Amino acid sequence: METTNKEIVYCQKVLHLLEDLQKVQQSIESFAEHSDKQKVHTHQTLSLILKLAVLLIILGVGIFLKLSLVLLLVISVVYLFIFCLLFRYDSKKFKEKLALEGESSLK
């Protein structure tokens, strides 16, 4: 009779420890998800700054070379169109890379 009580207490302690481990695992997953979102946001911000800097350089060179306003406008529109496509493509690739890194780190 006493052995079964000890076994029950032991099983309860093990169950409690497993529940605690599950909470820790959920916290780790939540932190990893938040960290991935931060990485994506930082990457997108740096990408945006870089691409806008390139646009400003292109416009600055165009003004320095005294290109016509219409030509500068056309160049800007083409660049912004390409910029939008590249920004979306770059963001998707970066998210896929993070997902692959997350899967490999879990293994």
Side-chain angles (χ1 to χ4, degrees):
M1 181 84 154
E2 192 173 308
T3 336
T4 58
N5 285 339
K6 287 182 182 179
E7 290 173 353
I8 290 173
V9 169
Y10 176 76
C11 289
Q12 288 174 341
K13 287 181 181 180
V14 169
L15 181 62
H16 183 33
L17 288 173
L18 288 174
E19 289 171 349
D20 288 345
L21 283 174
Q22 184 179 12
K23 289 177 185 175
V24 169
Q25 181 184 7
Q26 289 172 348
S27 296
I28 290 171
E29 288 172 357
S30 173
F31 176 77
E33 183 179 319
H34 177 71
S35 176
D36 286 348
K37 286 181 182 178
Q38 282 297 112
K39 287 179 184 177
V40 168
H41 180 69
T42 302
H43 179 77
Q44 287 177 339
T45 302
L46 291 175
S47 177
L48 176 67
I49 290 170
L50 177 67
K51 291 171 183 169
L52 288 176
V54 170
L55 175 64
L56 291 175
I57 290 170
I58 290 171
L59 292 177
V61 168
I63 291 171
F64 180 74
L65 296 176
K66 299 183 185 201
L67 297 178
S68 71
L69 189 58
V70 174
L71 184 59
L72 284 176
L73 185 63
V74 169
I75 291 171
S76 298
V77 169
V78 169
Y79 181 78
L80 289 176
F81 177 73
I82 292 170
F83 165 78
C84 290
L85 292 176
L86 288 177
F87 189 74
R88 290 188 65 211
Y89 177 76
D90 187 42
S91 295
K92 286 180 184 178
K93 286 296 181 185
F94 188 72
K95 287 177 186 178
E96 289 172 3
K97 178 183 172 188
L98 278 179
L100 289 175
E101 286 177 1
E103 289 174 4
S104 65
S105 67
L106 287 176
K107 290 179 181 179

